[in-house]
Structures are given as C-alpha cells and as structure tokens.
Amino acid sequence: MGDSQYSFSLTTFSPSGKLVQIEHALTAVGSGQTSLGIKASNGVVIATEKKLPSILVDEESVVTNVNQMSLLQVQKIQHLTPNIGVVYSGMGPDFRVLVRKSRKQAEQYNRLYKEPIPVTQLVRETATVMQEFTQSGGVRPFGVSLLVAGYDDKGPQLYQVDPSGSYFSWKASAMGKNVSNAKTFLEKRYTEDMELDDAIHTAILTLKEGFEGEISSKNIEIGKIGADKIFRVLTPAEIDDYLAEVE
Amino acid sequence: MSIFEYNGSAVVAMVGKNCFAIASDRRLGVQLQTIATDFQRISKIHDRVFIGLSGLATDVQTLYQRLVFRHKLYQLREERDMKPETFASLVSAILYEKRFGPYLCQPVIAGLGEDDKPFICTMDSIGAKELAKDFVVSGTASESLYGACEAMYKPDMEAEELFETISQALLSSVDRDCLSGWGGHVYVVTPNEIKERILKGRMD
C-alpha cells in the first residue's frame, strides 16, 4: 500500500513498550460523547448522548411500522443482527465501517451454519478486525470503542471492544467523556439481580450525571434487548416515558 | 458405469424414540473386484453426531477428514459441540463450494439434537439437503433400501427394536446389490450410550 514514508505500520512500538497510535486512538474515544451499557438479569440496555452540534441540524425522526425502526438521520445505536446491538464512543465514520464489516461477518456465519452467530463469536471477529488495523501497513487504528449488547443461548451479554482489539465482558460499563464519573455511579448503583426496566432507569440516571444541559428524548438514544432476543432502539416517545418515571 | 458405482456402498439411518441408528455395509470394491471387507463408511463427529458417506471411497475419506477438521476448530472457538442441524448446514456448504468439480459422495447425517430429539438427513453430492422424519438412505443399494425401510419402519421404536429393524433392512437390501455387502456396521445411539455392532450376512 504505497511507497515512500507511509508504507510502514503507524503502530510501531515505542521504547516504553507502548503502541502510541493506540494510545491516541483511546484519547479520541475518551473525548467522544458518553455511552454506557448495563447487563440486567433478563436483558441488556445500551445508551448514549446524542448531542447535535447545532439547532440547524435537520434531525428528522419518522417512526415506521411494527419493528419501530426510527429513521433518524444520525442514529448512533445500530443492529448487528436481530439479537445483537452496538453503540460507540469516538469517531462516527469509523463506527460505520465497523458496523458494516461486523454485519457481513454475522451474516456469513449465518449462511454457513444456518444459525445466528453467538455474541462472543461476533465480538471476537470484530475485535480481530480492529486488531488487524493495528498491525498493517498504511492504515490507522479505529478511533472508536464499541459496546456490544446481545442475548443468545448463553443469556444476556455486554462486551466492550477497544481500538487495540481487546475485548472485555462487563456487567456495566461506560466510555467517552464522562467515563470516570459514570463508572463510579454505575459501581454504586449496579446490583446483580437488576431487571431490564431498572437497568434502563439506572442508565438514564447515569447519563444525567454528566449531562450538559437538559436531558430529553431528543438528545439521548437508548437500545435494549430482553428475553425475547430482539434488539430494539427505543422511540423518542418511549424514552419520554422512562424519563418521566425517573423524575 | 457411473463413478458413484465404482466402489459400491450402502448407508441407511433411522429415527427411533429419543435415539437413532445409522448403518452401512463394509465392502470396498474396484468395480467387480472386492478389495476390502472392513471399510469404514460411518464416522463419529462427536458423541451425538455421526456421518455416513457413500460413493467414491477416496472422497469419502477426504471429506470425512475435512469435516472433522472443521468441527475441531468449531469446538475450540465456540467451546461447544455442533448441533446436528448446524453440522448438516456446514456439510451442505462445503459440498456446494465444489459445485463444478464435486466430491463424489452422498452423505447421511444422523444426530441427537436439543432435548435428545433425533435428527437425520441426507444430501446429494452438491449439498441439496433432504430432511426426513423416518429414515434416509444412500449408496448403490439405495433403491432396495428405500423399499425395505418403507416396509419395515415404524415410528417410535426403542433402541433394541430399532437395531433389529435397521439391520434387517440393510442386509436384505445389500443382498440384492452386487456392489455392496460383506456384512454390516450398525451404530445405535441413545442419549446415554453408543452401541456399535458388526453384522454377519451373506459374505459376498
């Protein structure tokens, strides 16, 4: 990929044993909008801030059909499969690329085995892609961390995947600008036997902790998956209901 | 003469009550000449999934090795055994990869799925799956096998009765086929054990 100065890998080791580009990628993640996920006993919820840069942004929201897919121009929470959803902190365009690759990998697995891909397998394959971009010439690491929420035969699962390609299973986690406050809050509030609705309330309260301005259904996004194994992004109306319950 | 009839083979699988049986003949021939009388056509993928392959013997062996390879990697990655339906989909995909230069085999797959429900299927050499609730057959003796199974099969047989039925169906069918025979190899699989038995029939 190219001659001259840029054909070596940008992720070459520094004398201290670090991969500096990955550190910088994590910084990019750390300055992204806050997102978080909570694993309940009967499901998983993921949520993120969705601060639009100006009031002039045309945020058209149309709720269509029974599947409740809202066609927001900027949708941060995405499906990877009907039973796995994902949210990110960091660079949106990099997220789009990863979502596309992951969806393809999930569908290839399904085509081969005629079985939905287990959450751990999809997370591993996505993490492998991210790792490849830390060891190839002429590319840079992805500037996103992902929170993958899914429900399969092993029950509800929540995974975080970092730009380095490492992945961790979490009971509850946060990423982005407000990560340390959010994590402290979650550590205090998390209980093992939490149910999905409690988890959604806790998620909203955690987002509220570091929120600049008024929290509303227009500037947060919430996705959930329960024992029905169908991942859904909540409509603004549903978010309003949860917000009202939290007040 | 078709290449599928070069070596001669007979494979059959039947569904019982929370169990299944899979059986094959033991002859390996080169057209009219018999080379071996102990050829292994049925192989275990794991304790609850078996595959029997009829057709060209070299492809039988190679395909079996490829499938075991894929399953071992699956076990390592996913930390679990493959379900029989999943395995059947995998075999179908692998066969179709060679659509224009196929493996000259017809597999018969039998396994115990979730809740110990027996699963059987067969496919052609390019991966067209055929699921059945009662029995599936494959090989040079397949026409006789169809007739014998149709007559002798009844649903919900226990393991011992299933063994008797499948053995009789196999032996009477291979007797009508000059290219298969020289005894039988029967596996009867229940949730708790795998019983392997060798049959002695007309040794010709």
Side-chain angles (χ1 to χ4, degrees), chain A residues 195-207:
Chain A
E195 293 213 342
L196 191 53
D197 278 341
D198 300 327
I200 298 178
H201 291 140
T202 309
I204 293 177
L205 287 168
T206 316
L207 276 179

Side-chain angles (χ1 to χ4, degrees), chain A residues 109 112 114-115 118 121 124, chain B residues 77-78 80 83 86 89:
Chain A
Y109 183 102
L112 183 61
K114 302 285 187 297
E115 212 184 62
Q121 300 301 311
R124 184 186 296 145
Chain B
R77 272 200 312 264
E78 306 222 2
R80 60 179 175 136
K83 291 192 267 217
T86 313
S89 299

Side-chain angles (χ1 to χ4, degrees), chain B residues 138-170:
Chain B
S138 163
T140 50
S142 57
E143 277 157 7
S144 303
L145 277 166
Y146 273 124
C149 290
E150 197 67 57
M152 297 187 200
Y153 179 82
K154 46 185 217 284
D156 288 328
M157 284 185 277
E158 297 286 346
E160 281 309 311
E161 201 190 346
L162 188 64
F163 166 68
E164 291 297 332
T165 310
I166 202 174
S167 307
Q168 293 293 358
L170 181 71

Side-chain angles (χ1 to χ4, degrees), chain A residues 21-32:
Chain A
Q21 279 299 304
I22 296 180
E23 305 288 322
H24 294 336
L26 285 164
T27 312
V29 169
S31 51

Side-chain angles (χ1 to χ4, degrees), chain A residues 7-24:
Chain A
S7 57
F8 59 85
S9 167
L10 292 170
T11 35
T12 38
F13 280 105
S14 73
S16 60
K18 290 205 185 121
L19 289 163
V20 182
Q21 279 299 304
I22 296 180
E23 305 288 322
H24 294 336

Side-chain angles (χ1 to χ4, degrees), chain B residues 2 15-16 18 21 27 35 45 48 102-103 109 114-115 118-119 123 125-126 137 139 143 145 157-158 173 185 195 203:
Chain B
S2 153
V15 163
N18 291 346
R27 179 181 179 273
I35 303 292
I45 299 293
R48 291 161 69 99
Y103 288 108
I109 294 160
E114 316 246 301
D115 306 321
F119 168 88
M123 47 191 95
S125 54
I126 44 177
V137 305
E143 277 157 7
L145 277 166
M157 284 185 277
E158 297 286 346
S173 308
H185 208 142
K195 254 214 170 116
M203 301 310 249

Side-chain angles (χ1 to χ4, degrees), chain A residues 35-41 43-47 146-149 156-160 168-175 179-180 182-192 194 198-200 202-203 206:
Chain A
S35 60
L36 57 93
I38 303 177
K39 182 169 73 171
S41 59
V44 192
V45 60
I46 48 179
L146 306 173
L147 271 175
V148 181
Q157 288 161 83
L158 178 67
Y159 284 91
Q160 175 176 344
F168 324 89
S169 177
W170 290 97
K171 297 176 194 169
S173 181
M175 325 181 294
V179 60
S180 42
K183 278 196 173 175
T184 321
F185 190 89
L186 284 170
E187 272 171 31
K188 285 199 216 116
R189 286 288 193 121
Y190 182 80
T191 62
E192 296 277 342
M194 219 180 220
D198 300 327
I200 298 178
T202 309
T206 316

Side-chain angles (χ1 to χ4, degrees), chain A:
Chain A
M1 260 219 143
D3 40 353
S4 80
Q5 308 109 301
Y6 299 110
S7 57
F8 59 85
S9 167
L10 292 170
T11 35
T12 38
F13 280 105
S14 73
S16 60
K18 290 205 185 121
L19 289 163
V20 182
Q21 279 299 304
I22 296 180
E23 305 288 322
H24 294 336
L26 285 164
T27 312
V29 169
S31 51
Q33 290 180 359
T34 312
S35 60
L36 57 93
I38 303 177
K39 182 169 73 171
S41 59
N42 60 341
V44 192
V45 60
I46 48 179
T48 181
E49 281 179 11
K50 194 184 60 193
K51 293 261 204 46
L52 299 168
S54 138
I55 51 168
L56 290 174
V57 173
D58 180 6
E59 177 234 87
E60 192 199 89
S61 98
V62 174
V63 175
T64 63
N65 77 36
V66 139
N67 283 347
Q68 306 247 3
M69 285 205 344
S70 63
L71 288 167
L72 294 160
Q73 302 287 49
V74 180
Q75 184 158 23
K76 293 184 73 177
I77 299 186
Q78 295 278 359
H79 289 242
L80 294 180
T81 71
N83 66 326
I84 304 176
V86 64
V87 74
Y88 73 102
S89 281
M91 298 169 66
D94 285 7
F95 176 64
R96 278 202 309 269
V97 167
L98 277 173
V99 163
R100 203 184 161 88
K101 281 193 208 269
S102 302
R103 283 175 175 165
K104 192 170 179 187
Q105 280 164 336
E107 197 46 46
Q108 277 170 346
Y109 183 102
N110 192 22
R111 193 166 151 259
L112 183 61
Y113 295 113
K114 302 285 187 297
E115 212 184 62
I117 188 168
V119 182
T120 33
Q121 300 301 311
L122 185 56
V123 165
R124 184 186 296 145
E125 293 198 20
T126 308
T128 304
V129 168
M130 292 170 89
Q131 192 281 342
E132 274 161 13
F133 280 70
T134 68
Q135 213 177 6
S136 311
V139 299
R140 60 161 176 82
F142 288 95
V144 287
S145 276
L146 306 173
L147 271 175
V148 181
Y151 201 122
D152 62 15
D153 293 333
K154 293 207 186 99
Q157 288 161 83
L158 178 67
Y159 284 91
Q160 175 176 344
V161 194
D162 276 347
S164 58
S166 35
Y167 57 93
F168 324 89
S169 177
W170 290 97
K171 297 176 194 169
S173 181
M175 325 181 294
K177 261 194 274 252
N178 204 29
V179 60
S180 42
N181 285 345
K183 278 196 173 175
T184 321
F185 190 89
L186 284 170
E187 272 171 31
K188 285 199 216 116
R189 286 288 193 121
Y190 182 80
T191 62
E192 296 277 342
D193 52 3
M194 219 180 220
E195 293 213 342
L196 191 53
D197 278 341
D198 300 327
I200 298 178
H201 291 140
T202 309
I204 293 177
L205 287 168
T206 316
L207 276 179
K208 239 179 152 194
E209 273 291 292
F211 210 85
E212 289 157 21
E214 180 83 32
I215 196 170
S216 81
S217 59
K218 285 215 180 22
N219 48 26
I220 61 170
E221 251 182 57
I222 302 180
K224 69 167 185 180
I225 179 165
D228 60 354
K229 294 195 191 162
I230 299 181
F231 182 81
R232 275 203 319 112
V233 178
L234 298 182
T235 62
E238 287 170 320
I239 298 181
D240 278 325
D241 290 338
Y242 280 108
L243 281 169
E245 284 170 27
V246 157
E247 298 296 340

